Amino acid sequence: MPLKTKRIRGTRDITPAEIHKWRYVERAALETAGCYGFGEVRTPIIEKTELFIKGTGESTDIVTKEMYSFKMGREDISLRPEGTPNAVRAALENGLLGDALPLKLCYIQPNFRHENPQAGRYRQHTQFGVECFGAASPSADAEVIRLARDLLERLGIGDVTLHINSIGCPQCRPGYNAALTEYYETRSDKLCDICRERLVRNPLRLLDCKNDTCKAIAQNAPKTIEKLCGDCSGHFDGLKKRLDAVGINYITDPLIVRGLDYYTKTVFEFISDKIGSQATVCGGGRYDVLIEQMGGPPTPGLGFGMGLDRILMVMEENGADFPVPRTCDIYIGSMGEDEGIKALALSCHLRREGFIAHCDTMGRSVKAQMKYANKIGARFSCIIGSNELETGKLSVKDMQTGEAQAVPLDEKALAGFLYGK
Ligand code: ATP
Ligand code: MG
């Protein structure tokens, strides 16, 4: 026997028994975003590698370590590791910024990152993302954060905590980076290898290290909010005022800096205490220079990515009540070939009417057919035998109560019976 091929590490299959949970969450996400005026965009899974080098940023973990990149002919291609660069590219390429601003886009999509698989961290994960282009006001930040919170509450996981911070802009960041570098240089012998590299390449990321010693050092590091320019600190104050106005509690957390190069001003994360160390279920922020950097007109922007794999983990942990999908409205059993053909024709008719109907396609005995009907949770069942064909009458049984009702052996009559239930 040849070895069975297994799925790739860090990827998952979603079986029919679980798909209703995903559909429920995805529908809630799109409906919530719809109420805020976000329109769904679908972009390709494969893009030119340069899109992420320019968009996500050359020095990010995603681009340096996590991208699935390959060459096809002369093209350098990558599987999409995150959604923002694609959304910006799609907006520019389709001229969407020329329409009414703000432009509000949302998506649900798989992203691919070659990281260490563990609970809540996969090599293919699914994100619900929103992007808002053109609005500079902190009202837009509050709107986007409220959207995320509305969805979390709708899904029954409003017990997550919102952490917010401001990481400044190209005007105030260099001053902050200098203060941060000075602080860390005197402690560089205690830092992990990666942080020693960050000290040179991307000092802001020092605050985000998961190593215990580095985490302790980060606690007393200078804070971004202490070095904000007037514009950035005004924006941050404006955001806090608006979060209060829309009824959102938050913690100002100087250690939230996010892993991407493009963020400016507001950054935020929703963090759960239910699912271990991969606890951030949603992360986002403002990126006021990204669109211009990617070749567009100077346009402010902001958004978030919500990890639906982690959202579902928190929901399971909370014992969420997922709506149970319909399984089978009626099982039409049969005995004999003509009877089986009648059952098939009847089932197909009922399906066109929107009912979930099953009939035997296995050549099973009546007893085995009824066992199957039970297993799939059929609401009603009936059996067509020679007697039923002759008399044109069916006995339809309610599988829960065992009660039987006579119904003419006729597609309209059977559909009428089910409509009445
Ligand atoms: P983390 O710090 O957990 O690595 P990140 O900063 O890399 O997260 P983002 O790029 O901001 O994450 O993505 C937004 C959200 O997508 C995260 O908050 C998380 O919920 C989810 N996410 C990111 N990477 C993964 C992954 N490998 N597996 C599952 N979910 C993920
Ligand atoms: Mg990451």
Side-chain angles (χ1 to χ4, degrees), residues 310-343:
R310 292 185 195 172
I311 291 285
L312 277 154
M313 282 168 71
V314 184
M315 289 177 73
E316 298 275 8
E317 204 52 47
N318 281 6
D321 235 350
F322 294 98
V324 181
R326 272 162 67 208
T327 46
C328 171
D329 294 314
I330 187 162
Y331 184 87
I332 307 179
S334 57
M335 244 185 309
E337 187 175 5
D338 290 347
E339 293 81 356
I341 292 172
K342 185 73 185 167

mmCIF file of all heavy atoms in Angstrom, residues 310-343:
data_model
loop_
_atom_site.group_PDB
_atom_site.id
_atom_site.type_symbol
_atom_site.label_atom_id
_atom_site.label_comp_id
_atom_site.label_asym_id
_atom_site.label_seq_id
_atom_site.Cartn_x
_atom_site.Cartn_y
_atom_site.Cartn_z
ATOM 1 N N ARG A 310 -8.833 31.824 15.875
ATOM 2 C CA ARG A 310 -8.776 32.116 17.320
ATOM 3 C C ARG A 310 -10.144 32.525 17.847
ATOM 4 O O ARG A 310 -10.512 32.196 18.970
ATOM 5 C CB ARG A 310 -7.745 33.216 17.600
ATOM 6 C CG ARG A 310 -6.324 32.741 17.322
ATOM 7 C CD ARG A 310 -5.290 33.780 17.702
ATOM 8 N NE ARG A 310 -3.999 33.438 17.110
ATOM 9 C CZ ARG A 310 -2.937 34.219 17.135
ATOM 10 N NH1 ARG A 310 -2.998 35.398 17.731
ATOM 11 N NH2 ARG A 310 -1.805 33.830 16.576
ATOM 12 N N ILE A 311 -10.911 33.263 17.044
ATOM 13 C CA ILE A 311 -12.274 33.660 17.452
ATOM 14 C C ILE A 311 -13.094 32.402 17.760
ATOM 15 O O ILE A 311 -13.769 32.314 18.787
ATOM 16 C CB ILE A 311 -12.958 34.468 16.319
ATOM 17 C CG1 ILE A 311 -12.288 35.833 16.147
ATOM 18 C CG2 ILE A 311 -14.456 34.583 16.545
ATOM 19 C CD1 ILE A 311 -12.600 36.847 17.202
ATOM 20 N N LEU A 312 -12.986 31.408 16.881
ATOM 21 C CA LEU A 312 -13.748 30.175 17.096
ATOM 22 C C LEU A 312 -13.263 29.438 18.339
ATOM 23 O O LEU A 312 -14.054 28.830 19.059
ATOM 24 C CB LEU A 312 -13.675 29.281 15.851
ATOM 25 C CG LEU A 312 -14.705 29.705 14.805
ATOM 26 C CD1 LEU A 312 -14.294 29.320 13.402
ATOM 27 C CD2 LEU A 312 -16.079 29.089 15.118
ATOM 28 N N MET A 313 -11.956 29.508 18.605
ATOM 29 C CA MET A 313 -11.432 28.876 19.830
ATOM 30 C C MET A 313 -12.045 29.518 21.073
ATOM 31 O O MET A 313 -12.437 28.828 22.012
ATOM 32 C CB MET A 313 -9.902 29.025 19.898
ATOM 33 C CG MET A 313 -9.156 28.055 19.003
ATOM 34 S SD MET A 313 -7.412 28.504 18.868
ATOM 35 C CE MET A 313 -6.830 28.087 20.505
ATOM 36 N N VAL A 314 -12.119 30.853 21.080
ATOM 37 C CA VAL A 314 -12.688 31.543 22.251
ATOM 38 C C VAL A 314 -14.174 31.208 22.367
ATOM 39 O O VAL A 314 -14.686 30.961 23.453
ATOM 40 C CB VAL A 314 -12.508 33.077 22.156
ATOM 41 C CG1 VAL A 314 -13.025 33.756 23.415
ATOM 42 C CG2 VAL A 314 -11.050 33.448 21.949
ATOM 43 N N MET A 315 -14.860 31.165 21.226
ATOM 44 C CA MET A 315 -16.289 30.843 21.264
ATOM 45 C C MET A 315 -16.519 29.443 21.832
ATOM 46 O O MET A 315 -17.401 29.229 22.651
ATOM 47 C CB MET A 315 -16.885 30.942 19.853
ATOM 48 C CG MET A 315 -16.980 32.381 19.360
ATOM 49 S SD MET A 315 -17.600 32.482 17.671
ATOM 50 C CE MET A 315 -19.337 32.088 17.922
ATOM 51 N N GLU A 316 -15.706 28.484 21.397
ATOM 52 C CA GLU A 316 -15.830 27.113 21.916
ATOM 53 C C GLU A 316 -15.580 27.114 23.424
ATOM 54 O O GLU A 316 -16.278 26.461 24.182
ATOM 55 C CB GLU A 316 -14.803 26.172 21.244
ATOM 56 C CG GLU A 316 -14.968 26.022 19.739
ATOM 57 C CD GLU A 316 -15.983 24.967 19.340
ATOM 58 O OE1 GLU A 316 -16.673 24.439 20.224
ATOM 59 O OE2 GLU A 316 -16.084 24.688 18.122
ATOM 60 N N GLU A 317 -14.561 27.869 23.820
ATOM 61 C CA GLU A 317 -14.183 27.954 25.231
ATOM 62 C C GLU A 317 -15.337 28.530 26.057
ATOM 63 O O GLU A 317 -15.587 28.115 27.170
ATOM 64 C CB GLU A 317 -12.932 28.853 25.335
ATOM 65 C CG GLU A 317 -12.059 28.654 26.537
ATOM 66 C CD GLU A 317 -11.661 27.202 26.743
ATOM 67 O OE1 GLU A 317 -11.243 26.525 25.766
ATOM 68 O OE2 GLU A 317 -11.783 26.754 27.887
ATOM 69 N N ASN A 318 -16.069 29.482 25.461
ATOM 70 C CA ASN A 318 -17.208 30.116 26.134
ATOM 71 C C ASN A 318 -18.481 29.269 26.028
ATOM 72 O O ASN A 318 -19.535 29.691 26.478
ATOM 73 C CB ASN A 318 -17.514 31.488 25.513
ATOM 74 C CG ASN A 318 -16.575 32.562 26.010
ATOM 75 O OD1 ASN A 318 -15.630 32.278 26.722
ATOM 76 N ND2 ASN A 318 -16.829 33.805 25.633
ATOM 77 N N GLY A 319 -18.380 28.103 25.388
ATOM 78 C CA GLY A 319 -19.560 27.263 25.195
ATOM 79 C C GLY A 319 -20.605 27.916 24.303
ATOM 80 O O GLY A 319 -21.803 27.864 24.595
ATOM 81 N N ALA A 320 -20.135 28.553 23.229
ATOM 82 C CA ALA A 320 -21.053 29.300 22.353
ATOM 83 C C ALA A 320 -22.153 28.400 21.791
ATOM 84 O O ALA A 320 -21.949 27.224 21.547
ATOM 85 C CB ALA A 320 -20.271 29.919 21.196
ATOM 86 N N ASP A 321 -23.304 29.018 21.599
ATOM 87 C CA ASP A 321 -24.467 28.348 21.055
ATOM 88 C C ASP A 321 -24.496 28.547 19.552
ATOM 89 O O ASP A 321 -25.049 29.522 19.071
ATOM 90 C CB ASP A 321 -25.701 29.042 21.647
ATOM 91 C CG ASP A 321 -26.603 28.049 22.338
ATOM 92 O OD1 ASP A 321 -26.348 26.846 22.169
ATOM 93 O OD2 ASP A 321 -27.545 28.491 23.018
ATOM 94 N N PHE A 322 -23.892 27.663 18.795
ATOM 95 C CA PHE A 322 -23.926 27.828 17.342
ATOM 96 C C PHE A 322 -25.282 27.367 16.837
ATOM 97 O O PHE A 322 -25.765 26.311 17.240
ATOM 98 C CB PHE A 322 -22.825 26.985 16.688
ATOM 99 C CG PHE A 322 -21.437 27.440 17.013
ATOM 100 C CD1 PHE A 322 -20.699 26.814 18.015
ATOM 101 C CD2 PHE A 322 -20.867 28.496 16.336
ATOM 102 C CE1 PHE A 322 -19.421 27.235 18.322
ATOM 103 C CE2 PHE A 322 -19.588 28.921 16.632
ATOM 104 C CZ PHE A 322 -18.865 28.286 17.625
ATOM 105 N N PRO A 323 -25.925 28.133 15.951
ATOM 106 C CA PRO A 323 -27.212 27.677 15.425
ATOM 107 C C PRO A 323 -27.028 26.330 14.722
ATOM 108 O O PRO A 323 -26.112 26.169 13.916
ATOM 109 C CB PRO A 323 -27.586 28.762 14.411
ATOM 110 C CG PRO A 323 -26.608 29.850 14.563
ATOM 111 C CD PRO A 323 -25.458 29.386 15.370
ATOM 112 N N VAL A 324 -27.887 25.373 15.089
ATOM 113 C CA VAL A 324 -27.735 24.027 14.519
ATOM 114 C C VAL A 324 -28.343 24.012 13.119
ATOM 115 O O VAL A 324 -29.493 24.431 12.939
ATOM 116 C CB VAL A 324 -28.435 22.985 15.414
ATOM 117 C CG1 VAL A 324 -28.265 21.593 14.852
ATOM 118 C CG2 VAL A 324 -27.882 23.073 16.829
ATOM 119 N N PRO A 325 -27.590 23.578 12.138
ATOM 120 C CA PRO A 325 -28.138 23.587 10.775
ATOM 121 C C PRO A 325 -29.168 22.483 10.576
ATOM 122 O O PRO A 325 -29.146 21.473 11.273
ATOM 123 C CB PRO A 325 -26.899 23.336 9.917
ATOM 124 C CG PRO A 325 -25.924 22.662 10.809
ATOM 125 C CD PRO A 325 -26.230 23.053 12.214
ATOM 126 N N ARG A 326 -30.082 22.692 9.630
ATOM 127 C CA ARG A 326 -31.034 21.647 9.251
ATOM 128 C C ARG A 326 -30.251 20.474 8.700
ATOM 129 O O ARG A 326 -29.298 20.663 7.955
ATOM 130 C CB ARG A 326 -31.920 22.167 8.128
ATOM 131 C CG ARG A 326 -33.147 22.904 8.587
ATOM 132 C CD ARG A 326 -33.684 23.747 7.435
ATOM 133 N NE ARG A 326 -34.201 22.934 6.338
ATOM 134 C CZ ARG A 326 -34.224 23.342 5.058
ATOM 135 N NH1 ARG A 326 -33.723 24.512 4.727
ATOM 136 N NH2 ARG A 326 -34.718 22.573 4.117
ATOM 137 N N THR A 327 -30.636 19.272 9.034
ATOM 138 C CA THR A 327 -29.899 18.129 8.487
ATOM 139 C C THR A 327 -30.694 17.416 7.403
ATOM 140 O O THR A 327 -30.252 17.294 6.277
ATOM 141 C CB THR A 327 -29.533 17.133 9.601
ATOM 142 O OG1 THR A 327 -30.686 16.932 10.412
ATOM 143 C CG2 THR A 327 -28.383 17.665 10.419
ATOM 144 N N CYS A 328 -31.901 16.912 7.760
ATOM 145 C CA CYS A 328 -32.687 16.173 6.764
ATOM 146 C C CYS A 328 -34.160 16.375 7.081
ATOM 147 O O CYS A 328 -34.605 16.064 8.178
ATOM 148 C CB CYS A 328 -32.314 14.688 6.809
ATOM 149 S SG CYS A 328 -33.398 13.654 5.800
ATOM 150 N N ASP A 329 -34.911 16.917 6.111
ATOM 151 C CA ASP A 329 -36.341 17.109 6.349
ATOM 152 C C ASP A 329 -37.095 15.791 6.210
ATOM 153 O O ASP A 329 -37.991 15.511 6.981
ATOM 154 C CB ASP A 329 -36.906 18.154 5.373
ATOM 155 C CG ASP A 329 -36.315 19.535 5.632
ATOM 156 O OD1 ASP A 329 -36.259 19.931 6.817
ATOM 157 O OD2 ASP A 329 -35.889 20.205 4.670
ATOM 158 N N ILE A 330 -36.707 15.013 5.219
ATOM 159 C CA ILE A 330 -37.435 13.748 5.025
ATOM 160 C C ILE A 330 -36.546 12.678 4.388
ATOM 161 O O ILE A 330 -35.762 12.970 3.490
ATOM 162 C CB ILE A 330 -38.730 13.962 4.176
ATOM 163 C CG1 ILE A 330 -39.555 12.666 4.132
ATOM 164 C CG2 ILE A 330 -38.399 14.457 2.774
ATOM 165 C CD1 ILE A 330 -41.001 12.884 3.719
ATOM 166 N N TYR A 331 -36.682 11.466 4.907
ATOM 167 C CA TYR A 331 -36.017 10.316 4.291
ATOM 168 C C TYR A 331 -37.089 9.490 3.592
ATOM 169 O O TYR A 331 -38.065 9.067 4.226
ATOM 170 C CB TYR A 331 -35.295 9.460 5.342
ATOM 171 C CG TYR A 331 -34.530 8.333 4.684
ATOM 172 C CD1 TYR A 331 -33.228 8.522 4.234
ATOM 173 C CD2 TYR A 331 -35.148 7.101 4.455
ATOM 174 C CE1 TYR A 331 -32.542 7.506 3.576
ATOM 175 C CE2 TYR A 331 -34.469 6.086 3.787
ATOM 176 C CZ TYR A 331 -33.167 6.304 3.354
ATOM 177 O OH TYR A 331 -32.495 5.315 2.686
ATOM 178 N N ILE A 332 -36.908 9.287 2.301
ATOM 179 C CA ILE A 332 -37.887 8.496 1.550
ATOM 180 C C ILE A 332 -37.287 7.123 1.253
ATOM 181 O O ILE A 332 -36.461 6.973 0.350
ATOM 182 C CB ILE A 332 -38.301 9.217 0.243
ATOM 183 C CG1 ILE A 332 -38.779 10.651 0.576
ATOM 184 C CG2 ILE A 332 -39.395 8.441 -0.482
ATOM 185 C CD1 ILE A 332 -39.192 11.466 -0.630
ATOM 186 N N GLY A 333 -37.668 6.153 2.064
ATOM 187 C CA GLY A 333 -37.146 4.792 1.901
ATOM 188 C C GLY A 333 -37.924 4.039 0.836
ATOM 189 O O GLY A 333 -38.994 4.481 0.397
ATOM 190 N N SER A 334 -37.393 2.907 0.418
ATOM 191 C CA SER A 334 -38.073 2.131 -0.632
ATOM 192 C C SER A 334 -37.682 0.665 -0.581
ATOM 193 O O SER A 334 -36.627 0.305 -0.039
ATOM 194 C CB SER A 334 -37.715 2.708 -2.008
ATOM 195 O OG SER A 334 -36.322 2.691 -2.175
ATOM 196 N N MET A 335 -38.549 -0.147 -1.177
ATOM 197 C CA MET A 335 -38.349 -1.594 -1.276
ATOM 198 C C MET A 335 -38.599 -1.981 -2.719
ATOM 199 O O MET A 335 -39.728 -1.818 -3.182
ATOM 200 C CB MET A 335 -39.429 -2.280 -0.411
ATOM 201 C CG MET A 335 -38.908 -3.050 0.740
ATOM 202 S SD MET A 335 -40.229 -3.923 1.597
ATOM 203 C CE MET A 335 -41.452 -2.704 1.914
ATOM 204 N N GLY A 336 -37.603 -2.412 -3.461
ATOM 205 C CA GLY A 336 -37.804 -2.806 -4.858
ATOM 206 C C GLY A 336 -37.373 -1.708 -5.824
ATOM 207 O O GLY A 336 -37.256 -0.542 -5.437
ATOM 208 N N GLU A 337 -37.142 -2.102 -7.096
ATOM 209 C CA GLU A 337 -36.558 -1.168 -8.057
ATOM 210 C C GLU A 337 -37.505 -0.020 -8.437
ATOM 211 O O GLU A 337 -37.131 1.151 -8.368
ATOM 212 C CB GLU A 337 -36.119 -1.903 -9.327
ATOM 213 C CG GLU A 337 -35.359 -0.952 -10.236
ATOM 214 C CD GLU A 337 -34.780 -1.627 -11.485
ATOM 215 O OE1 GLU A 337 -35.052 -2.814 -11.704
ATOM 216 O OE2 GLU A 337 -34.058 -0.929 -12.210
ATOM 217 N N ASP A 338 -38.747 -0.345 -8.840
ATOM 218 C CA ASP A 338 -39.686 0.722 -9.235
ATOM 219 C C ASP A 338 -39.926 1.684 -8.078
ATOM 220 O O ASP A 338 -40.023 2.895 -8.263
ATOM 221 C CB ASP A 338 -41.029 0.122 -9.676
ATOM 222 C CG ASP A 338 -40.878 -0.606 -11.008
ATOM 223 O OD1 ASP A 338 -39.820 -0.422 -11.662
ATOM 224 O OD2 ASP A 338 -41.787 -1.383 -11.366
ATOM 225 N N GLU A 339 -40.033 1.100 -6.892
ATOM 226 C CA GLU A 339 -40.280 1.900 -5.693
ATOM 227 C C GLU A 339 -39.082 2.833 -5.428
ATOM 228 O O GLU A 339 -39.245 4.003 -5.070
ATOM 229 C CB GLU A 339 -40.508 0.996 -4.469
ATOM 230 C CG GLU A 339 -41.791 0.170 -4.528
ATOM 231 C CD GLU A 339 -41.670 -1.104 -5.385
ATOM 232 O OE1 GLU A 339 -40.594 -1.325 -6.006
ATOM 233 O OE2 GLU A 339 -42.641 -1.872 -5.443
ATOM 234 N N GLY A 340 -37.873 2.286 -5.656
ATOM 235 C CA GLY A 340 -36.646 3.081 -5.466
ATOM 236 C C GLY A 340 -36.589 4.242 -6.449
ATOM 237 O O GLY A 340 -36.180 5.357 -6.109
ATOM 238 N N ILE A 341 -37.028 3.984 -7.697
ATOM 239 C CA ILE A 341 -37.022 5.040 -8.719
ATOM 240 C C ILE A 341 -38.024 6.137 -8.339
ATOM 241 O O ILE A 341 -37.758 7.325 -8.474
ATOM 242 C CB ILE A 341 -37.326 4.438 -10.113
ATOM 243 C CG1 ILE A 341 -36.140 3.555 -10.540
ATOM 244 C CG2 ILE A 341 -37.573 5.546 -11.140
ATOM 245 C CD1 ILE A 341 -36.370 2.737 -11.788
ATOM 246 N N LYS A 342 -39.173 5.715 -7.812
ATOM 247 C CA LYS A 342 -40.192 6.685 -7.366
ATOM 248 C C LYS A 342 -39.611 7.545 -6.210
ATOM 249 O O LYS A 342 -39.786 8.774 -6.189
ATOM 250 C CB LYS A 342 -41.440 5.921 -6.884
ATOM 251 C CG LYS A 342 -42.584 6.812 -6.507
ATOM 252 C CD LYS A 342 -43.239 7.417 -7.751
ATOM 253 C CE LYS A 342 -44.322 8.417 -7.389
ATOM 254 N NZ LYS A 342 -44.741 9.209 -8.533
ATOM 255 N N ALA A 343 -38.915 6.878 -5.288
ATOM 256 C CA ALA A 343 -38.329 7.593 -4.146
ATOM 257 C C ALA A 343 -37.297 8.614 -4.633
ATOM 258 O O ALA A 343 -37.232 9.741 -4.145
ATOM 259 C CB ALA A 343 -37.672 6.598 -3.184
#
